[in-house]
Amino acid sequence: VAVLTMSGDYGKGIQETFVKTFQSLGGEIVFVEEYDSTSRDLRTQITKIKYFSVNFAFILCAVWVAA
């Protein structure tokens, strides 16, 4: 499994919880990375995930709506 989360306390907390829980259930994590939450281009990170040929990718994104 690959894990890609946004940087910051929220993303880090979700990442740590997911990784810990998944591994405790016997899962294997092969890739973990954070990205800048203001970034609009995740091609580099997606390319890295594709390199590992994972069966599943956990990607945490947030959508901010302007008022």
Side-chain angles (χ1 to χ4, degrees):
V1 168
V3 180
L4 178 61
T5 57
M6 59 189 164
S7 60
D9 293 340
Y10 179 75
K12 187 69 170 175
I14 297 292
Q15 177 194 100
E16 289 173 355
T17 300
F18 178 83
V19 168
K20 181 179 176 182
T21 302
F22 190 77
Q23 289 177 329
S24 75
L25 296 170
E28 180 184 6
I29 305 290
V30 297
F31 175 86
V32 177
E33 189 166 312
E34 296 178 15
Y35 67 92
D36 181 357
S37 59
T38 62
S39 178
R40 298 181 72 136
D41 182 1
L42 300 178
R43 285 182 282 190
T44 300
Q45 292 85 352
I46 299 299
T47 300
K48 289 178 184 179
I49 290 171
K50 287 173 64 177
Y51 171 80
F52 287 98
S53 299
V54 297
N55 293 322
F56 179 78
F58 177 80
I59 302 173
L60 176 66
C61 299
V63 177
W64 307 109
V65 179

